[in-house]
Amino acid sequence: MGGFILIDRFTNTTVAAGLLHFALRRAENIHWQAVEVDKNARAGLKGQRPALVWFTGLSGAGKSTIANLVEKKLHLQGFHTYMLDGDNVRHGLNKDLGFTEADRVENIRRVAEVAKLMVDGGLIVLASFISPFRAERQLARDLMGEEEFIEVYVDTPLAVYAKARRGELPHFTGIDSPYEPPESPELHLDASGTVPAETSAELVIVHLRQAGILTAPSEG
Amino acid sequence: MGGFILIDRFTNTTVAAGLLHFALRRAENIHWQAVEVDKNARAGLKGQRPALVWFTGLSGAGKSTIANLVEKKLHLQGFHTYMLDGDNVRHGLNKDLGFTEADRVENIRRVAEVAKLMVDGGLIVLASFISPFRAERQLARDLMGEEEFIEVYVDTPLAVYAKARRGELPHFTGIDSPYEPPESPELHLDASGTVPAETSAELVIVHLRQAGILTAPSEG
């Protein structure tokens, strides 16, 4: 591409300016017009298979801690991620929603839809939400393509859960409502406190690698 | 990282298997724990400055055509983009919204919030919406950081607009409601039909380059 200006030969002032568009390389244009910028193209540029990694579990179980560690590890390996959680969703997109059951369901529905757009954008999306209902996690799963949804159950053992419900663990919030554990999550993490978050994060990475998420389709 | 197995020396059966986590390179760990995966980190990985490029203009003016061309050009140059438009938003995230004025405003509000999340993810987001009200475009601008919002006015000259309002151009839809033209868009494109969409797209690219969007901060 080149620029040009037109100068009046009598007054010597610039009367016009413009850009030359491919005047000398028309043949090159034909190639790119055939390219479709779709999910595959966007993911291919990033060297990964896009997916939604959905962390579910009780408040305080360690979902966000583990998800954050996973994001750090993926980022350092050059993968393109995004983390969706209450922090960046409740204050923006979903700030019109409260905490009634209907609003909680709508909260998760919108998160799932946004995640779908981001997966379409080629990203590996990490979502960290209590998401207590099977139906809402199923909704998220159904929105995604085959093998694009990875449910990670951050499992607080019943004993810890019971303590929390009795109010003995004040940092556990929001468990006055029921939690329906996943029946067949892609990954089941022990959040009893005996397994370090670092190890749990590494297990997620191993799973993502085995699932083919961390290899570009063209490299597979 | 390495794997190991434990074999019982009497029965010769495998009794345990596991993964070694950085046992021999603890010093390396210290580095990555300090890394914050934030907007800068995600954008840096992509070699770009994230931004929201907002195409506004009447229906039929060519917003999506130009935005699509811009995305193709950016993608082929290795930049990481995502396109938000009625197609991928109205059928998913915003499928609960109708076309009352309140719903149209909520439609744009959610789009802007999603764009903000994607910009936080380091992407160059192209949004193509009629977005007829100055207030809603201002809302989108206000959500973004300094110099992250680029308003591109795809300007249909008044004569074409008038024809459309008289119903003489049947492919023009949704202009029975008023359109408030941008007062100081970052870029003003002539959509009268005399400038090819290809040229308009190139003008957007030139603007993005001049604005420093297409250069990683570290390369700047």
Side-chain angles (χ1 to χ4, degrees), chain B residues 121-193:
Chain B
L123 298 176
I124 296 169
V125 181
L126 311 168
S128 173
F129 293 88
I130 300 173
S131 48
F133 302 117
R134 267 184 212 119
E136 60 190 358
R137 297 191 305 263
Q138 188 64 43
L139 180 148
R141 183 183 292 272
D142 290 345
L143 280 179
M144 302 296 138
E146 191 95 23
E147 300 181 356
E148 279 180 354
F149 187 81
I150 293 160
E151 188 174 30
V152 179
Y153 177 26
V154 184
D155 184 5
T156 314
L158 213 59
V160 179
Y161 180 60
K163 260 190 171 179
R165 292 207 67 161
R166 286 196 305 270
E168 293 172 24
L169 298 175
H171 59 289
F172 276 67
T173 54
I175 62 159
D176 48 329
S177 48
Y179 178 83
E180 300 170 355
E183 284 170 337
S184 49
E186 274 71 13
L187 199 59
H188 189 151
L189 298 176
D190 175 357
S192 65

Side-chain angles (χ1 to χ4, degrees), chain A residues 90 94-104 107:
Chain A
R90 277 280 184 189
N94 293 355
K95 69 179 174 189
D96 56 323
L97 300 176
F99 289 89
T100 63
E101 190 170 316
D103 277 6
R104 283 171 190 264
N107 181 51

Side-chain angles (χ1 to χ4, degrees), chain B residues 51-129:
Chain B
L52 170 55
V53 188
W54 190 279
F55 294 82
T56 176
L58 292 174
S59 174
K63 295 182 299 298
S64 289
T65 304
I66 296 167
N68 272 308
L69 285 170
V70 170
E71 185 172 38
K72 281 186 185 181
K73 286 169 182 284
L74 289 177
H75 180 79
L76 281 169
Q77 292 174 43
F79 294 106
H80 298 253
T81 58
Y82 194 68
M83 173 90 172
L84 288 170
D85 58 22
D87 282 347
N88 57 18
V89 166
R90 277 280 183 188
H91 298 295
L93 177 66
N94 293 355
K95 70 180 174 189
D96 56 324
L97 300 176
F99 290 88
T100 64
E101 191 169 317
D103 277 6
R104 284 172 190 264
V105 169
E106 172 66 4
N107 180 52
I108 295 299
R109 185 193 72 84
R110 289 191 201 165
V111 165
E113 291 282 6
V114 170
K116 182 187 170 81
L117 292 171
M118 289 181 165
V119 165
D120 192 39
L123 298 176
I124 296 169
V125 181
L126 311 168
S128 173
F129 293 88

Side-chain angles (χ1 to χ4, degrees), chain A residues 99-145:
Chain A
F99 289 89
T100 63
E101 190 170 316
D103 277 6
R104 283 171 190 264
V105 169
E106 173 65 5
N107 181 51
I108 296 299
R109 184 192 75 82
R110 289 191 202 166
V111 166
E113 291 283 6
V114 170
K116 183 188 168 80
L117 293 171
M118 289 182 164
V119 165
D120 193 38
L123 298 176
I124 296 170
V125 181
L126 310 168
S128 173
F129 294 89
I130 301 174
S131 47
F133 302 117
R134 270 186 209 117
E136 61 190 358
R137 298 191 304 262
Q138 187 64 43
L139 180 148
R141 184 184 291 272
D142 289 346
L143 280 180
M144 301 297 137

Side-chain angles (χ1 to χ4, degrees), chain A residues 1 19 21-22 26 29 31-38 41-42 45-46 68-69 71-73 75-76 78-84 88-89 91-96 106 109-111 113-114 116-118 120-123 143 198-199 202-203 206 209, chain B residues 1 19 21-22 26 29 31-38 41-42 45-46 68-69 71-73 75-76 78-84 88-89 91-96 106 109-111 113-114 116-118 120-123 143 198-199 202-203 206 209:
Chain A
M1 195 175 65
L19 294 169
H21 298 288
F22 312 115
R26 178 62 59 188
N29 293 350
H31 170 67
W32 72 260
Q33 290 185 345
V35 172
E36 274 311 311
V37 185
D38 57 9
R42 297 193 195 96
L45 181 62
K46 297 169 180 58
N68 271 308
L69 284 171
E71 184 172 39
K72 280 186 184 181
K73 286 168 182 283
H75 180 79
L76 281 169
F79 294 106
H80 299 253
T81 58
Y82 195 68
M83 174 90 170
L84 288 170
N88 56 19
V89 165
H91 297 295
L93 177 65
N94 293 355
K95 69 179 174 189
D96 56 323
E106 173 65 5
R109 184 192 75 82
R110 289 191 202 166
V111 166
E113 291 283 6
V114 170
K116 183 188 168 80
L117 293 171
M118 289 182 164
D120 193 38
L123 298 176
L143 280 180
E198 166 70 30
T199 305
E202 199 58 43
L203 288 171
V206 168
R209 184 161 291 116
Chain B
M1 193 174 66
L19 293 169
H21 297 287
F22 312 116
R26 179 62 59 188
N29 293 351
H31 169 68
W32 73 258
Q33 288 183 347
V35 171
E36 274 311 311
V37 186
D38 57 10
R42 297 193 195 96
L45 181 61
K46 296 170 181 55
N68 272 308
L69 285 170
E71 185 172 38
K72 281 186 185 181
K73 286 169 182 284
H75 180 79
L76 281 169
F79 294 106
H80 298 253
T81 58
Y82 194 68
M83 173 90 172
L84 288 170
N88 57 18
V89 166
H91 298 295
L93 177 66
N94 293 355
K95 70 180 174 189
D96 56 324
E106 172 66 4
R109 185 193 72 84
R110 289 191 201 165
V111 165
E113 291 282 6
V114 170
K116 182 187 170 81
L117 292 171
M118 289 181 165
D120 192 39
L123 298 176
L143 280 179
E198 165 70 30
T199 304
E202 198 58 41
L203 289 171
V206 168
R209 183 160 292 116

Side-chain angles (χ1 to χ4, degrees), chain A residues 5-20:
Chain A
I5 55 169
L6 293 181
I7 297 174
D8 185 294
R9 66 169 134 170
F10 300 109
T11 64
N12 211 29
T13 57
T14 303
V15 292
L19 294 169
L20 276 175

